[in-house]
Amino acid sequence: MLSCQDLITELSNLLDDDVAAETRQLLEEHLSHCRTCQVLYDSTGRTVRIVTDVGSFELPESVGARLRQKIMTEIRRR
């Protein structure tokens, strides 16, 4: 049986339907027993659908500048 970390590692591939049949079966087995990973899988899938449905949009310059600053601050902390 796979661990939660295994599922997290493969989450993007699972959502993109880009996993081998055997891996998919193991991931789905893990999901059937792990409520935490079920929530992660469901919420990530919903988030991807929301972002995909919205499409691209332009941020106001002030929001973009704050976002860039926040990202740079986080990068420097590491």
Side-chain angles (χ1 to χ4, degrees), residues 1-2 7 11 17-18 23 37 47 57 61 65:
M1 187 164 189
L2 297 178
L7 183 118
L11 183 59
D17 197 26
D18 189 24
T23 302
C37 286
T47 301
F57 57 91
E61 182 56 37

Side-chain angles (χ1 to χ4, degrees), residues 2-49:
L2 297 178
S3 69
C4 294
Q5 186 58 50
D6 294 328
L7 183 118
I8 291 168
T9 299
E10 291 293 335
L11 183 59
S12 178
N13 294 331
L14 181 60
L15 289 168
D16 290 342
D17 197 26
D18 189 24
V19 291
E22 181 180 330
T23 302
R24 171 176 292 288
Q25 182 179 358
L26 292 170
L27 292 167
E28 289 175 352
E29 181 180 330
H30 178 84
L31 284 169
S32 72
H33 295 98
C34 181
R35 179 71 180 135
T36 301
C37 286
Q38 289 172 13
V39 170
L40 177 64
Y41 175 78
D42 291 342
S43 62
T44 303
R46 277 192 230 111
T47 301
V48 168
R49 282 189 297 281

